[in-house]
Amino acid sequence: DSGIMGGSGSHEFMLESPNGEDQFVLCSHCGYQANTEKAVGVKPRIQELKDPENAPPLEKVHTPNIKTISDLMEFFGINRDQFVKSVAYLADGKLVLAAIRGDFEISETKLRNHLKAIKMEMAPEEVLLDKGYHPGFLSPIGINDPDISVVIDSSLGDGGLMVAGANEKDYHYKNVVPGRDFDNFTTIDIAEVREGDVCAQCGQGKLQIKRGIELGHTFKLGTKYTDENSMNVTYLDDQGKEQRVVMGCYGIGIERLMAAIVEKWHDENGIIWPVSIAPYDIYLIVIGKGEEEKNLGQKMYDTLSNDFEILWDDRSESPGVKFKDADLIGVPFRVVISTKLLKVNAVEVKVRETGEVFKSAPEEVSGKLIELKEKMRTSLR
Ligand SMILES: [Zn+2]
């Protein structure tokens, strides 16, 4: 959805994730992928008019006390897909009526993009009543008002006999034939794709709706912002001819990217930052309050700082709390100095990703970690 950015097209980069804030559609057969606001599925033809020439004429029916679509289905003995659902919107202040087959939902983004509207909302009841339309009985039938534009979803293209509102309080029409009883309107795709719809791209696969995190978005802006009516930006090409600047723009969501990485890189104890982007390489913990421990801590900090970013946890918390926090924030390596380890001239290293723990002479730690980090970096998936 290029939205108000405009331009001729845009690509979204999504990471599939059950916690994603966005939805996208995936074809199980051809690999077609699109944002749900853009995706197109095949709209199955549910009923067919056997003999269009001799179809019964439009008939107005008194339908008092009918409030919901379920009431209507029961009253007329019809299925959801035999009902013309109509919704009125205010798009940049202009009244728009959108109609769709009852088994589909209107995609407001598709509609808004078609109308090129910046702001779109459901039309308030008083606006409709003011114009003589009745909420609950709306339909495209008989609308002949230059102030209201009507958009029809392609699902209504070739239906059979349907039921629709009569634009009159407590009345509906039956025997509605789209194309016969209303046809002078724009017909486009404004339907939300449904899980299991057949893919319009390959005609074979079933569409699945997945959640994802939007990591980036690229826009082809073309000359929207550089043409004469906008900023009027030109340059001289190698022939000395004036050309218009063509624009594109790229958005990367840094915070979303972090969220997406954590989504993939974590376990029950917390984050596991990949070494390539971890904000710190080493989580340093000194256990024991003696001078010797403290001095070794400072020495390790100074030595390791030549090659690594170090987070020295010098809070007065217990070792257990520090170990838990080290796992939680996911620093790739944990280095522990303690009285017990000092006695055997060793420090302890834990690798967050694998849980591997090993002892090392203090002067060898740096070399070992450089090697390990490089190995982990090159094996990143
Ligand atoms: Zn497909």
Side-chain angles (χ1 to χ4, degrees), residues 33 68 207 241 250 293 335:
Q33 285 182 34
T68 64
L207 296 177
K241 263 180 71 183
Y250 310 82
E293 290 88 341
V335 173

Side-chain angles (χ1 to χ4, degrees), residues 205-264:
K206 290 258 161 73
L207 296 177
Q208 296 168 283
I209 297 176
K210 304 266 189 191
R211 296 205 78 84
I213 299 174
E214 183 187 341
L215 300 182
H217 207 154
T218 60
F219 298 88
K220 286 184 193 170
L221 298 174
T223 56
K224 178 176 175 183
Y225 296 102
T226 57
D227 66 19
E228 283 148 300
N229 303 321
S230 188
M231 292 187 279
N232 194 18
V233 185
T234 57
Y235 68 98
L236 296 178
D237 67 11
D238 54 3
Q239 312 290 327
K241 263 180 71 183
E242 199 171 76
Q243 303 282 0
R244 204 155 288 285
V245 171
V246 175
M247 282 175 66
C249 70
Y250 310 82
I252 296 175
I254 302 291
E255 294 90 348
R256 284 147 181 262
L257 204 54
M258 287 180 63
I261 289 166
V262 172
E263 200 59 55
K264 291 276 167 192

